[in-house]
């Protein structure tokens, strides 16, 4: 792997790990899915059809905010949450980079085996 690719991978690893961890929980992933339509939703709206309390949903939203996957905006007494797709796009780039590394390694292995 070229040094530039290793450098890019190393720079992205901490941020990618945070986003992966945030999205690794089924409840948080469900919250992100509900926000994928671009809407702004309150905690009350996000609690609909969820077996969890408002407090539990709030804790999950805090994790997603810390990973910068969602943003909150205070409107009166309510916080409205929206999806920020940028960290997910960065994850995609990270996965593409790792995937290309695996493709290169498998191509080298194939070449070696076929000799």
């Amino acid at each position: 792997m070229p040094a530039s690719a290793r450098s890019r991978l190393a720079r992205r690893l901490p941020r990618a790990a945070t986003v992966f961890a945030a999205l690794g929980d089924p409840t948080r992933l469900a919250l992100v899915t509900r926000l994928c339509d671009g809407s702004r939703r309150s905690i009350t709206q996000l609690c609909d059809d969820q077996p969890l309390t408002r407090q539990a949903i709030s804790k999950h939203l805090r994790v997603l905010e810390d990973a910068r996957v969602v943003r909150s905006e205070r409107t009166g007494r309510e916080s409205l949450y929206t999806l920020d797709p940028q960290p997910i796009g960065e994850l995609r780039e990270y996965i593409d980079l790792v995937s290309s590394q695996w493709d290169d390694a498998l191509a080298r292995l194939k070449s070696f085996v076929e000799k």
Side-chain angles (χ1 to χ4, degrees), residues 108-115:
R108 286 192 308 271
L109 178 62
K110 180 182 178 189
S111 174
F112 177 76
V113 169
E114 290 176 346
K115 284 184 182 179

Side-chain angles (χ1 to χ4, degrees), residues 5-90:
R6 279 194 305 268
S7 176
R8 281 191 318 231
L9 187 62
R11 281 194 311 268
R12 293 179 181 182
L13 189 58
R15 177 125 163 89
T18 302
V19 178
F20 274 123
L23 296 176
D25 180 87
T27 300
R28 290 193 287 269
L29 194 54
L31 290 169
V32 168
T33 301
R34 293 196 66 192
L35 293 169
C36 278
D37 63 2
S39 63
R40 296 176 350 153
R41 295 181 194 242
S42 67
I43 293 176
T44 303
Q45 292 168 323
L46 291 169
C47 285
D48 290 346
D49 302 327
Q50 293 288 327
L52 300 172
T53 64
R54 282 177 59 98
Q55 184 178 10
I57 296 292
S58 293
K59 286 181 180 182
H60 283 293
L61 287 168
R62 233 173 288 126
V63 171
L64 290 169
E65 270 191 292
D66 289 346
R68 298 187 333 187
V69 174
V70 299
R71 285 181 270 176
S72 66
E73 177 184 318
R74 197 87 172 145
T75 304
R77 296 178 59 190
E78 219 172 29
S79 289
L80 297 176
Y81 292 85
T82 57
L83 177 69
D84 182 353
Q86 182 180 354
I88 296 171
E90 291 171 2

